[in-house]
Every structure is written in C-alpha cells, then in structure tokens.
Amino acid sequence: MTRPLDGITVISLEHAIAAPFCTRQLADLGARVIKVERPGGGDFARAYDERVNGEASHFVWVNRSKESLTLDLKQPAALAVLQELVAGADVLVQNLAPGAAARMGLGAQVLQEKHPALIVCDISGYGEDGPYRDKKAYDLLIQSEAGFLSVTGTPDDPCKSGNSIADIAAGMYAYTGILAALMQRGKTGKGSHIDVSMLESLAEWMGYPMYYAYDGAPPPPRSAASHATIYPYGPFPAGDGGTVMLGLQNEREWRAFCDKVLLRPELATDPRFDSNARRNEHREALRTLIVDTFGALSAAQVLARLDTAQIANARMNDMAGLWAHPQLQARERWRQVGSPAGEIPALLPAGRQSAFDYRMDPVPAVGQHTDAILRSLGRGDDAIAALRAAGAV
C-alpha cells in the first residue's frame, strides 16, 4: 500500500513537543523521519516521567515511527554526518534554541543555496525576527503571552491548559505548512523556508476571544468549564454525585429543555430566561433551578432526558474514561506499537483514510538506528567505532 509521504525523508533536530508532534504526523503518512538526538540521554523529553512502563508519557505520544540517530553536533565529524543526511533529504525541521541552527551552518538561507529543493521548517517561540526573537519560550509562557490564560480558568484564578496547547498548535501549523510546501515544490521544483512561531500559532487559535474584545470591548470573562457567553452551557451536578455537561445553542433547544428535561415548560417564556442574553444575565437564578431538578436524578437519568430532548450533552470523563471510551473502541481506533518498554497502545491519527493505512511503527530507543544510518552513508565498522570513541555519536 502506498502512503502519501512514502519516499519523503525528514531530518529533525527536535526536542520536547512542538517539532516531534509535527514530524510524527509526517511519519504517520509514510515519511522516513530521522530524529537527531544527543548521545547519552537523547531528547530531554525522554526523562519527563516514567509513566508508560518506564518510558515518558510525552515521548511515546509524539515519537513513534521514527529512527533515532545520536550526534554530538559540536563535533565536526558529527556535523559532517548531518550535512550528508541533509543533502539527501526533502525536509529539515528544527526547534533548537534561537540561532543555534544558523551557528552550525544549518540556517535556511545557507542550506537552500546548497540544496534548492530542500524544505526547511524552523519552529520557535516567537519567530526568526522581532523584539522577542531571542526570548526563551515554554508552553505555559506562550499561553500567557497569547492571552490564553486571561480567558481560561475561574473569575478568581487563571488556569493553564491541561495539555501543551501552544506546542501542539505550533506543531500542527508546522505539519500543515510542510505538506503545503511539498505540494508547492511539486509544482515549482523549489523548496521553501517555513518560520513557525508558537505565539502566532496560539494567537490564531485565540481568534474568537480577540474579536469578542474588538476595539476595546470587554473580553470574555473566565467562567471555569461553563461557556463565557452562552447559558446554560457547561457542567451541572446530578443527585448521585456525577457531573453532566450540556450545551444549548438556540431558542428551540431552550424550549425543549424546559419541557422535556426540567419538566417546567412555563420557564421557556419567563422574562428572565426568554433569550440567551437574559439567561446569561440571570445565570445564577437559572443554575439554581437546573441544579434543583438534577439533584433528584442520577447522572444517567439526566443524560437520558437530555437525549430525549435532543440537547447536546456529554459525560465529564477522566483519563480512565477516555482510555475505555466505547466510541473509540467501536471505531477500532487503538493499535499496539513497539517501544523500548515493549508493546503499548496508541491511537490512530484522527480521520479515517480509505486510500491508505497510517504508519504505526515503534517508538525508538536512544540511538537505536545510529549504526544503520551511518552504514547507509558509507561508514564502515572502523569509522563508526572511531566516532563512538570520540563521543561524536
């Protein structure tokens, strides 16, 4: 079976999440991804935790289907190996510290003068220029700079996202940018330089709250797990201690909610609640009425009423609930992949494909493919041994 990126080679100077998430998705589509790591410990994300049979949760998520090559790029012999690999590659991805790649002769302009068809993707916190170019950037810091924390949390306390949302956003834009660059190269024969910043990626995802606060208007208030401007829309407790998430989007649903869920049809025309703006204005009074009704029911009974009324709803799952989610199981979204700790479950990439199967190969050990890659470049046993003795690999 042919995959879309079969025959494409990606070299990645990557660590943490943003670049590895980008390149793992390229590997999902069939690309050969050579992950360059430090000799010894490798990508520092390998040591974040030991939750997956001794392996790190972040690492196993974003590094399957790759080859691991260890190189000490401070040594000329190791840098020469990398330059040989780049000469035969289609894409170079890097999220090193600002300016680090350029100092090693791996800047986009230099590389594309040598290799005009090469696609170079740089991922950084703030981009290759501007006053913030050299600032260190971690996920939480970008969540703060992008205004995400200002609209997320409770009225008293801002809250970070429970996942690395800024890294994920940057990784997604790098991934789609590379796909677009490959398509463009197919038309022109020329590579391109992609400059992705975490700030710009997350700022794009902040479009709704930015426009809501357009021209100095007040921003959406922090409203915990409830919607900031639509009500009722959020979590409500049931009588058995469970929590039900529900969302109303229009007046037809509001009338059905009053009639079939609250069993109080007269509330539909109550002047406090007869439009979303008024429900939002009087949300505390309405919440009291809803909680009083739900308090006499189990979570399952509330969900059944909501389903009958065709009101959007969900369980508030924890991670155990997500692992066991019946919809993921019914759609056969789980596969087993290898890792240094043995077989582990992994979700297929989102989106079924009728034309090909996603690649789901093992998570590599540090330097697992170093010897094979060096031999493919013509290095013999003695040369490889010399590189190892010097600590270059």
Side-chain angles (χ1 to χ4, degrees):
M1 178 176 289
T2 301
R3 298 184 177 96
L5 298 186
D6 283 351
I8 297 296
T9 297
V10 179
I11 310 299
S12 191
L13 310 177
E14 62 180 31
H15 56 261
I17 301 302
F21 186 49
C22 163
T23 59
R24 195 218 75 193
Q25 293 179 95
L26 297 172
D28 292 341
L29 298 184
R32 181 191 185 194
V33 176
I34 298 175
K35 179 184 180 76
V36 178
E37 302 190 69
R38 300 178 184 88
D43 183 341
F44 56 73
R46 288 182 180 271
Y48 277 174
D49 58 60
E50 299 178 348
R51 302 305 291 264
V52 188
N53 300 331
E55 300 297 312
S57 53
H58 280 86
F59 192 85
V60 298
W61 164 43
V62 295
N63 285 289
R64 67 171 181 255
S65 304
K66 301 179 184 180
E67 300 172 42
S68 173
L69 166 67
T70 51
L71 293 174
D72 178 2
L73 295 177
K74 295 178 182 178
Q75 297 198 34
L79 192 56
V81 170
L82 180 60
Q83 292 281 9
E84 285 185 57
L85 287 170
V86 170
D90 299 281
V91 181
L92 174 70
V93 179
Q94 69 87 16
N95 68 332
L96 304 178
R103 288 192 294 272
M104 291 187 289
L106 298 170
Q109 183 175 352
V110 170
L111 287 176
Q112 289 181 318
E113 288 175 357
K114 297 179 182 177
H115 316 295
L118 182 67
I119 295 164
V120 179
C121 180
D122 297 328
I123 305 173
S124 62
Y126 296 100
E128 68 175 0
D129 51 15
Y132 280 43
R133 180 192 64 184
D134 297 324
K135 283 180 69 71
K136 286 187 176 182
Y138 302 130
D139 184 84
L140 176 58
L141 305 182
I142 298 298
Q143 289 188 38
S144 183
E145 287 284 351
F148 182 87
L149 298 185
S150 75
V151 298
T152 306
T154 69
D156 296 326
D157 297 298
C159 293
K160 69 180 290 294
S161 169
N163 59 11
S164 304
I165 192 170
D167 283 319
I168 293 167
M172 288 300 300
Y173 283 114
Y175 166 60
T176 56
I178 290 167
L179 294 180
L182 287 167
M183 294 177 67
Q184 183 77 350
R185 190 181 70 174
K187 298 175 181 178
T188 67
K190 296 181 179 180
S192 56
H193 177 214
I194 306 165
D195 172 21
V196 176
S197 90
M198 293 166 65
L199 177 64
E200 290 160 18
S201 299
L202 192 54
E204 166 62 24
W205 287 12
M206 293 295 294
Y208 146 65
M210 277 201 294
Y211 280 116
Y212 189 90
Y214 180 70
D215 198 24
R222 291 195 300 266
S223 52
S226 295
H227 196 287
T229 57
I230 302 174
Y231 201 81
Y233 195 142
F236 294 89
D240 62 355
T243 299
V244 173
M245 188 76 67
L246 64 90
L248 296 176
Q249 293 278 7
N250 54 56
E251 297 311 302
R252 178 190 60 77
E253 291 181 347
W254 166 242
R255 291 191 295 272
F257 182 72
C258 294
D259 185 28
K260 297 180 179 179
V261 179
L262 298 181
L263 307 183
R264 295 189 58 181
E266 74 279 4
L267 289 177
T269 55
D270 187 308
R272 295 172 297 171
F273 311 134
D274 61 0
S275 71
N276 178 67
R278 282 184 278 276
R279 289 192 294 275
N280 194 44
E281 180 183 355
H282 299 285
R283 63 168 57 200
E284 288 305 317
L286 180 51
R287 176 177 175 79
T288 298
L289 292 170
I290 294 171
V291 170
D292 284 348
T293 299
F294 287 8
L297 305 169
S298 68
Q301 289 172 320
V302 174
L303 290 171
R305 286 193 184 184
L306 291 166
D307 283 339
T308 298
Q310 297 186 320
I311 302 299
N313 64 81
R315 297 175 295 165
M316 187 180 289
N317 269 331
D318 56 15
M319 290 303 95
L322 182 58
W323 275 111
H325 203 292
Q327 186 69 3
L328 296 177
Q329 293 180 356
R331 284 172 55 82
E332 300 180 337
R333 302 308 295 168
W334 294 102
R335 296 291 184 272
Q336 292 292 116
V337 300
S339 81
E343 294 266 303
I344 57 173
L347 269 178
L348 284 164
R352 281 178 172 170
Q353 287 282 355
S354 64
F356 65 92
D357 290 331
Y358 290 107
R359 183 178 173 197
M360 300 288 285
D361 288 349
V363 178
V366 179
Q368 179 177 339
H369 304 89
T370 298
D371 285 9
I373 293 170
L374 291 173
R375 288 193 178 95
S376 74
L377 296 174
R379 305 296 199 279
D381 290 344
D382 290 344
I384 293 173
L387 288 168
R388 289 198 180 282
V393 300

